[in-house]
Amino acid sequence: VPAIAFGLYNTKSDQALQAIQVAIETGIRGFDTASAYGTERELGSLIKRCGAPRAEFSITTKLANNDQGAGTAEALKGSLKKLLTDYADLYLIHSPLTSKEARLESWSQMQDLKRQGLVKEIGVANYGLKHLEEIVQAGLPIPAVNQVQIRNEFV
C-alpha cells in the first residue's frame, strides 16, 4: 500500500473519469476512493480498460458510516463489484462518527474479510486516540493504518 495515493474525494463522475485516465496514463498506480465518494465504478472501469494487470494497482476504498456494523461485509462486496475486482488492497472504516458498538462490529467483521482474501490490509480513517483505544480494550488487533487527511491549509 503506497504512503500517498491519488485521491478521488469530491470528484464528480465526469471529472473522475478524466482525472483517473490521466493518472493511469502518467503511471500512477495507487488510488484512494470510497463508497461515499461515488467514484468506485469509474475507477474500476478505467483500471479494467487500461490493460495493465490488476496487481500493478493499489486500491483503497472505505466503509461508509451508514454501512458500519452488521452491513460491513455486504458493503465491501458491493464496493468490489463496482471496482470490478475480487479484492481491495486496503479497506478502511471511513469515520468514527458512529456508535462504539458499530465501530467494533465493523472492525471485527473486517478481520474475517481479510482472512477470506477480500482485502489485503484493513484499517481506519480519521480515528482519534479514544477510538483506537476502544479497539485495544476490546482485545481486537490494532489497525495497520489510520489514514488522516492532509491538505495545504492544514500544513
Side-chain angles (χ1 to χ4, degrees), residues 12 40 60 72 89 131 138 142 146:
K12 304 292 183 251
E40 291 174 323
T60 297
T72 301
D89 295 279
H131 307 110
I142 297 170
N146 182 15

Side-chain angles (χ1 to χ4, degrees), residues 35 37 45 59 78 91 97:
S35 60
Y37 300 170
S45 173
I59 300 173
Y91 193 48
L97 300 179

Side-chain angles (χ1 to χ4, degrees), residues 67-147:
D67 290 322
Q68 286 189 39
T72 301
E74 286 307 309
L76 174 62
K77 291 172 186 171
S79 288
L80 295 178
K81 185 175 181 178
K82 290 176 193 169
L83 287 162
L84 302 175
T85 186
D86 56 357
Y87 70 95
D89 295 279
L90 178 61
Y91 193 48
L92 304 174
I93 296 175
H94 202 156
S95 166
L97 300 179
T98 59
S99 70
K100 176 181 177 180
E101 293 76 21
R103 289 189 298 271
L104 291 176
E105 173 66 23
S106 289
W107 188 242
S108 180
Q109 283 191 30
M110 288 169 72
Q111 310 302 312
D112 293 334
L113 296 170
K114 183 178 177 184
R115 279 191 286 276
Q116 294 169 29
L118 297 174
V119 293
K120 288 186 175 183
E121 283 298 338
I122 54 176
V124 296
N126 307 304
Y127 269 42
L129 183 59
K130 165 189 146 181
H131 307 110
L132 295 169
E133 287 173 341
E134 289 172 355
I135 293 171
V136 172
Q137 291 168 356
L140 296 169
I142 297 170
V145 172
N146 182 15
Q147 183 188 71

Side-chain angles (χ1 to χ4, degrees), residues 8-79:
L8 296 168
Y9 170 70
N10 208 18
T11 309
K12 304 292 183 251
S13 182
D14 57 335
Q15 294 171 326
L17 284 169
Q18 185 176 12
I20 297 163
Q21 182 69 44
V22 170
I24 290 172
E25 288 171 0
T26 58
I28 293 173
R29 294 297 186 255
F31 290 91
D32 181 275
T33 188
S35 60
Y37 300 170
T39 55
E40 291 174 323
R41 196 174 309 281
E42 290 82 359
L43 178 59
S45 173
L46 286 171
I47 287 175
K48 194 70 126 181
R49 281 196 298 179
C50 82
R54 164 64 180 91
E56 283 187 14
F57 293 89
S58 178
I59 300 173
T60 297
T61 195
K62 301 174 197 80
L63 173 67
N65 288 349
N66 60 335
D67 290 322
Q68 286 189 39
T72 301
E74 286 307 309
L76 174 62
K77 291 172 186 171
S79 288

